Amino acid sequence: MDAIVSLCRRRGFMFQSSEIYGGLNGFWDYGPLGVELKRNVREAWWRDMVTSHNELVAPPGAPSSFAMVGLDCTIIMHPQVWKCSGHYDLFHDYMVDCRESKRRYRHDQVQGRWVVKDDQRIFVATELVGAEAEEDVLHKALKFFGLRAKDAESLRWESPLVSLTTVERFDRVLAPDAKTLGTLTPPREFNLMFKTYVGALSGEENAAFLRPETAQGIFVNFKNVLDSTRVKLPFGIAQVGKSFRNEITPRNFTFRSREFEQMEIEFFCRPETSRAWYEYWRNRRYQWYVDLGLGRERLRLRDHEPSELSHYSCGTADVEYAFPFLAPGDFGELEGVAHRGDFDLRSHMEGKLVRQGDALAVEVGPDGQPKYRGSGRDLAYFDDETREKFVPHVIEPSAGADRATLAFLCEAYQEDEAPDESGKPAKRTVLRLHPRLAPIKAAVFPLVKKDGMPEIARDIYAALKPLCNVFYDEKGAVGRRYRRQDEIGTPFCITVDSQTAADGTVTIRDRDTLKQWRIRADDCPAVISGLISGTAQIPE
Ligand code: GAP
């Protein structure tokens, strides 16, 4: 992971936000290459899910044909949205504070081991994971008991690494950054929504929130979309945009950030077909990552246990990736696909809902009135063929653009060997990004800066520019130029050489196979477009 982070910084994929002022934890900027990569992830998603979707035929595995439309909502919405959705009351994590180090931790992200020395039994806590956590805990235990490494056998370990959530009393806990026992406060709720004020007055009546998900903007516009378009069930509304969560412990590069981008679909269907649509979307969304290059051995589709499901959910599956910063065997969430029933539309009609037995009912306050009133608008759907009126069920595939970008980067990063300028095998760093995602699709080089080669190369560059992002480079040995492109994932390099002036052909080189072949210079736009879209193949 360190090598990937270092490449991202060195080659301008990602930087820490406000770095010159020491950075701001949980916020990341995308540099010149990163912005292209993330745009390509977003655009691949939008194109595959929305604009290239053919609503006249049922895609493989889908119960029927369906429509897809897009939406772009505001980040700040009416505060009642978050009260009815449940975020105002329920969108929190538990945190613990350390009185000694003044550090704050997410309760469920601290783990540790019970250890005994003589008659003292303590829980040594750490924020690290996997082998690093084991080492950290051992190191801290030795230090706490004043032992040297050679005396490690005098420690009696009573548990493997277990979560701090399994520990009932904290007086025996050695906090991750503390020297003394019992410095952690009891866990407290912490709402993750960022609060702000709308207008000149900062009183509670003007308080609003930065959206923690894009989904609610879709639900509150459901009727607008229905009334302003001719969509009929089943159909999906897609949105890509920023979301904000005041995460207690942002970590693992961009994986858990405080400002991030989501790519969400709310798919509306008839209740009796919702199970089949849920199956369709969970499989379709898994396949999307595979098609863009994530290896199946590092990707899994995990169905939630009934105990993990939200109170309104009838089923959820996560698409998870084995990020390299996780302990071996661990996976991190890329996307959640949830069957949400009619919870969201009903909440915005009736008011905040709670589960009562098998049903959902409006939560009432001490006065017997709804705790948070809904909009009162009728968000039911009228089917003019069957003459039925009902509240549609919702399937929600909810992906993170930053997590997907990070997963594609981690998967693409490889170190291998390729011949250098003198033909000797040399170590190379290569990003094997899918051509659709690569920030730069092709680089154009004149072999040398003379004999008319730069002029021809510039013409090729100019012909490719309107089609895709291309890079021109005439500096240094050509082998070094190839390597600079390999390192940032450019799939194809085109070289103008002495043969070009004679027969009008150039060399094209494939980043992954290192295969080189000649094509006509005039054909570069058609060949590069074909290779990127997958309609042309690298010759055998
Ligand atoms: N509307 C449902 C929803 O927001 P979620 O599982 O909380 O569900 C969906 O978020 C996706 O958004 C996650 O799978 C992840 O990819 C991304 N995401 C959530 N929190 C994030 C964070 N703090 N940093 C980066 N991405 C995040």
Side-chain angles (χ1 to χ4, degrees):
M1 194 63 210
D2 289 346
I4 297 170
V5 175
S6 145
L7 173 76
C8 284
R9 204 187 166 314
R10 186 160 39 85
R11 296 305 308 267
F13 280 91
M14 289 166 207
F15 310 118
Q16 209 187 356
S17 163
S18 332
E19 199 183 70
I20 61 168
Y21 288 104
L24 190 59
N25 201 8
F27 296 88
W28 294 93
D29 294 337
Y30 286 79
L33 291 175
V35 69
E36 297 298 335
L37 174 61
K38 190 166 142 191
R39 276 174 72 101
N40 292 341
V41 170
R42 258 191 259 129
E43 277 168 21
W45 184 88
W46 192 263
R47 175 164 281 275
D48 295 346
M49 299 300 120
V50 185
T51 48
S52 71
H53 170 70
N54 180 346
E55 60 186 55
L56 304 179
V57 291
S64 70
S65 61
F66 60 92
M68 287 295 298
V69 294
L71 199 65
D72 186 13
C73 308
T74 58
I75 283 168
I76 296 176
M77 294 193 275
H78 194 294
Q80 198 68 7
V81 169
W82 307 111
K83 292 185 175 161
C84 291
S85 70
H87 286 81
Y88 187 78
D89 283 350
L90 301 171
F91 195 55
H92 51 240
D93 281 332
Y94 283 91
M95 62 180 184
V96 289
D97 287 310
C98 176
R99 293 186 204 92
E100 184 188 311
S101 67
K102 308 289 176 230
R103 290 215 38 209
R104 174 165 288 177
Y105 309 97
R106 216 172 98 173
H107 186 207
D108 61 352
Q109 279 176 358
V110 177
Q111 50 172 353
R113 291 184 72 181
W114 285 103
V115 63
V116 180
K117 165 85 179 109
D118 302 330
D119 54 354
Q120 204 176 9
R121 181 173 183 263
I122 67 168
F123 183 83
V124 187
T126 178
E127 266 201 298
L128 302 176
V129 293
E132 285 184 338
E134 296 280 0
E135 253 175 59
D136 190 44
V137 165
L138 171 62
H139 176 77
K140 286 208 185 98
L142 289 171
K143 206 161 171 194
F144 178 82
F145 289 113
L147 298 172
R148 300 217 191 134
K150 67 178 173 57
D151 304 321
E153 280 182 8
S154 65
L155 294 172
R156 186 156 54 81
W157 295 97
E158 283 202 337
S159 77
L161 281 169
V162 291
S163 169
L164 181 66
T165 55
T166 62
V167 179
E168 275 172 22
R169 285 178 43 204
F170 286 176
D171 54 344
R172 301 280 85 206
V173 172
L174 181 63
D177 300 282
K179 293 192 180 70
T180 48
L181 293 179
T183 60
L184 288 181
T185 61
R188 282 184 292 147
E189 280 178 9
F190 176 76
N191 193 298
L192 301 182
M193 285 198 293
F194 278 102
K195 200 174 193 178
T196 187
Y197 298 94
V198 176
L201 301 174
S202 58
E204 269 317 288
E205 66 279 17
N206 296 312
F209 302 93
L210 305 192
R211 66 180 178 202
E213 61 171 24
T214 63
Q216 297 306 321
I218 300 180
F219 296 125
V220 300
N221 275 295
F222 171 71
K223 202 72 177 167
N224 286 338
V225 173
L226 264 190
D227 293 347
S228 59
T229 65
R230 290 166 56 203
V231 285
K232 296 218 177 316
L233 288 191
F235 71 92
I237 306 180
Q239 170 158 230
V240 177
K242 289 266 183 168
S243 293
F244 301 81
R245 295 182 189 178
N246 198 1
E247 298 283 357
I248 298 168
T249 46
R251 51 159 74 180
N252 294 330
F253 207 16
T254 57
F255 181 82
R256 180 163 286 110
S257 312
R258 289 178 165 143
E259 175 174 343
F260 56 96
E261 230 166 320
Q262 288 186 309
M263 310 186 289
E264 298 199 289
I265 296 171
E266 303 305 328
F267 188 82
F268 301 93
C269 58
R270 293 183 67 93
E272 65 276 16
T273 61
S274 59
R275 190 50 57 193
W277 282 112
Y278 168 64
E279 290 296 325
Y280 168 71
W281 279 108
R282 69 194 265 300
N283 298 335
R284 167 129 190 237
R285 290 302 306 147
Y286 173 86
Q287 190 59 37
W288 187 78
Y289 295 97
V290 174
D291 292 345
L292 285 172
L294 297 192
R296 285 181 192 275
E297 59 284 22
R298 281 173 294 282
L299 194 65
R300 73 177 186 190
L301 190 55
R302 186 183 66 84
D303 288 302
H304 282 209
E305 298 294 327
S307 61
E308 281 181 272
L309 296 177
S310 327
H311 62 289
Y312 51 77
S313 183
C314 319
T316 298
D318 285 344
V319 182
E320 298 181 331
Y321 181 70
F323 286 96
F325 48 75
L326 299 172
D330 282 358
F331 287 74
E333 179 186 328
L334 269 183
E335 168 159 355
V337 181
H339 183 312
R340 299 177 65 98
D342 58 6
F343 173 80
D344 305 278
L345 290 176
R346 276 189 57 201
S347 303
H348 289 300
M349 278 200 287
E350 302 168 26
K352 187 188 166 210
L353 299 175
V354 284
R355 183 158 287 286
Q356 277 180 6
D358 281 345
L360 291 168
V362 175
E363 185 176 359
V364 289
D367 57 358
Q369 296 300 312
K371 186 172 180 199
Y372 301 121
R373 277 182 199 286
S375 66
R377 293 285 185 87
D378 183 2
L379 303 181
Y381 177 85
F382 178 69
D383 187 326
D384 44 19
E385 276 171 27
T386 62
R387 314 302 293 167
E388 287 168 280
K389 196 172 173 192
F390 57 92
V391 179
H393 276 206
V394 170
I395 311 300
E396 179 191 67
S398 172
D402 305 84
R403 280 197 194 168
T405 303
L406 185 59
F408 290 125
L409 266 172
C410 293
E411 181 79 23
Y413 184 93
Q414 280 181 22
E415 289 170 4
D416 65 5
E417 276 197 348
D420 66 9
E421 293 86 283
S422 53
K424 288 199 201 115
K427 196 179 140 209
R428 101 173 156 153
T429 299
V430 55
L431 282 188
R432 293 183 194 272
L433 288 167
H434 190 287
R436 284 181 75 192
L437 301 181
I440 295 173
K441 309 297 184 201
V444 186
F445 311 145
L447 186 62
V448 288
K449 269 197 279 182
K450 57 183 185 183
D451 303 335
M453 292 184 208
E455 289 74 10
I456 302 174
R458 281 185 197 150
D459 284 347
I460 296 172
Y461 168 78
L464 287 170
K465 262 275 140 162
L467 300 177
C468 56
N469 202 9
V470 205
F471 187 75
Y472 176 81
D473 190 3
E474 57 179 29
K475 293 193 195 84
V478 75
R480 202 161 312 139
R481 281 181 264 165
Y482 282 144
R483 264 143 215 283
R484 280 205 290 262
Q485 295 307 314
D486 291 342
E487 200 183 40
I488 60 169
T490 308
F492 306 106
C493 291
I494 295 164
T495 306
V496 173
D497 54 22
S498 54
Q499 202 179 318
T500 309
D503 65 4
T505 65
V506 292
T507 305
I508 178 162
R509 169 193 181 265
D510 172 51
R511 174 198 68 200
D512 297 341
T513 58
L514 299 175
K515 188 164 267 180
Q516 300 199 14
W517 69 106
R518 294 195 80 87
I519 58 168
R520 289 187 49 74
D522 295 344
D523 291 342
C524 283
V527 171
I528 292 293
S529 302
L531 288 169
I532 293 164
S533 64
T535 53
Q537 306 300 324
I538 294 156
E540 287 297 312

